Amino acid sequence: MKVNQTDVVDPGEDWDRGPGGCEMEPKERRASPATLSPKWPDQPSSNPAGEAARRFAVNLRAAIGDKPVRAVARDAGIDEGTIRKILVGQSWPDLRTIWGLESALEAELYTR
């Protein structure tokens, strides 16, 4: 695909504008799962999404057991750092990550 000069985004462009120049609200930064539990991952969260992430991390840790995280990441086709961030509650697992981990570990990690 050929890129024309007009296709390149000007770094000075107004990024606070949406389609048609409409003003958009700044995106609020989402709290990490660990901040939603008083003692991650040992204590439940009162936030439903935080609790789902906590249970996922607990299930993931149990399913990994004594396997190297690097090997699990390779088998799941995801980055090792992603798994480590999920385990310590720094990151929210997305659907692709959940599916890859459940497939690689042959375990149901996300429960409702």
Side-chain angles (χ1 to χ4, degrees):
M1 177 174 123
K2 184 178 179 184
V3 177
N4 297 320
Q5 187 64 24
T6 57
D7 295 332
V8 178
V9 175
D10 177 8
E13 188 174 320
D14 185 2
W15 289 96
D16 294 327
R17 302 278 177 192
C22 299
E23 195 147 332
M24 295 177 63
E25 294 290 321
K27 186 175 179 181
E28 187 177 323
R29 186 166 176 91
R30 181 170 44 170
S32 69
T35 63
L36 301 174
S37 174
K39 189 175 178 191
W40 178 273
D42 301 319
Q43 194 170 18
S45 172
S46 60
N47 178 287
E51 179 57 13
R54 186 193 72 80
R55 285 193 324 262
F56 181 84
V58 168
N59 293 340
L60 176 59
R61 184 173 306 282
I64 289 173
D66 59 357
K67 297 176 198 83
V69 173
R70 181 172 293 178
V72 172
R74 182 192 64 238
D75 294 346
I78 61 174
D79 185 71
E80 175 185 356
T82 298
I83 295 175
R84 294 189 186 283
K85 286 179 181 177
I86 291 169
L87 290 171
V88 297
Q90 290 179 346
S91 179
W92 294 89
D94 62 21
L95 288 174
R96 181 181 174 277
T97 301
I98 293 168
W99 182 85
L101 288 167
E102 287 187 338
S103 296
L105 294 166
E106 298 180 353
E108 187 175 335
L109 304 174
Y110 173 74
T111 58
R112 206 173 155 117

